[in-house]
């Protein structure tokens, strides 16, 4: 088990319990996404918590809610949140976007969603769940995000 963290400027990411590791696309989304108004952020499919932590670092007045469907990834993100200097501004729930509800309207919604079409020749595992649209389609992502987004808010997604 590799417990060596991936280190960033003000936080570190442990990734030994997750199928998807720190990658260029997540780092770019965390650096590129902009919080133009307000301070409420939602990270859909948080994985290790990388994007949530990057946004908490970039926007010091923000509050970040994150959701993650995979239980092991949820535990990993929770651990990464708890060990960060931003822990009081980060919350994570182990749930899918389809069942997630909030009275809060978000000023920024980010996601690095599953983007490969379903390939049934590959056995189901956490990596397949994280990469394939079997558990979250683009239509579901867009529809639910529209309901959760503040009218002045911005949604930032990685879509190939």
């Amino acid at each position: 088990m590799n417990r060596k963290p991936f280190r960033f400027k003000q936080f570190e990411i442990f990734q030994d319990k997750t199928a998807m590791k720190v990658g260029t696309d997540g780092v770019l989304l965390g650096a590129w996404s902009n919080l133009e108004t307000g301070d409420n952020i939602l990270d859909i499919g948080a994985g290790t918590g990388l994007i949530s932590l990057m946004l908490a670092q970039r926007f010091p007045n923000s509050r970040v809610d994150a959701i993650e469907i995979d239980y092991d990834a949820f535990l990993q993100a929770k651990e990464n949140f708890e060990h960060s200097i931003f822990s009081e501004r980060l919350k994570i729930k182990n749930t899918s976007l389809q069942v997630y509800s909030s009275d809060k309207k978000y000023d920024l919604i980010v996601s690095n969603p599953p983007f490969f079409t379903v390939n049934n020749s590959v056995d189901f595992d956490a990596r397949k769940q994280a990469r394939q649209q079997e558990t979250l389609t683009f239509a579901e992502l867009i529809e639910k995000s529209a309901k959760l987004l503040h009218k002045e808010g911005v949604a930032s997604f990685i879509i190939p």
Side-chain angles (χ1 to χ4, degrees), residues 30-67:
W32 169 74
S33 297
N34 198 19
L35 182 61
E36 296 179 11
T37 62
D39 57 7
N40 292 313
I41 300 171
L42 176 63
D43 181 1
I44 300 168
T48 62
L50 165 70
I51 297 167
S52 295
L53 284 158
M54 288 183 73
L55 295 173
Q57 176 180 293
R58 289 183 57 218
F59 305 110
N61 296 320
S62 67
R63 293 229 172 266
V64 182
D65 294 337
I67 58 173

Side-chain angles (χ1 to χ4, degrees), residues 54-147:
M54 288 183 73
L55 295 173
Q57 176 180 293
R58 289 183 57 218
F59 305 110
N61 296 320
S62 67
R63 293 229 172 266
V64 182
D65 294 337
I67 58 173
E68 174 55 55
I69 192 171
D70 179 75
Y71 187 69
D72 289 333
F74 158 76
L75 291 175
Q76 188 88 78
K78 187 173 189 257
E79 173 188 20
N80 288 328
F81 289 179
E82 289 170 351
H83 289 98
S84 79
I85 61 173
F86 317 113
S87 62
E88 291 183 14
R89 298 188 290 118
L90 297 161
K91 292 182 182 173
I92 186 159
K93 289 186 179 182
N94 181 214
T95 189
S96 70
L97 177 61
Q98 293 89 336
V99 300
Y100 179 73
S101 66
S102 174
D103 294 331
K104 188 184 304 183
K105 291 291 185 178
Y106 292 97
D107 304 298
L108 174 62
I109 296 178
V110 295
S111 184
N112 182 8
F115 48 81
F116 292 110
T117 55
V118 175
N119 178 354
N120 290 322
S121 67
V122 178
D123 290 336
F124 185 81
D125 63 9
R127 189 164 169 82
K128 180 179 177 184
Q129 177 175 288
R131 298 181 75 196
Q132 295 187 16
Q133 294 182 29
E134 195 165 297
T135 56
L136 179 63
T137 66
F138 287 133
E140 291 171 322
L141 176 64
I142 298 298
E143 183 179 313
K144 186 72 180 224
S145 293
K147 291 176 183 174

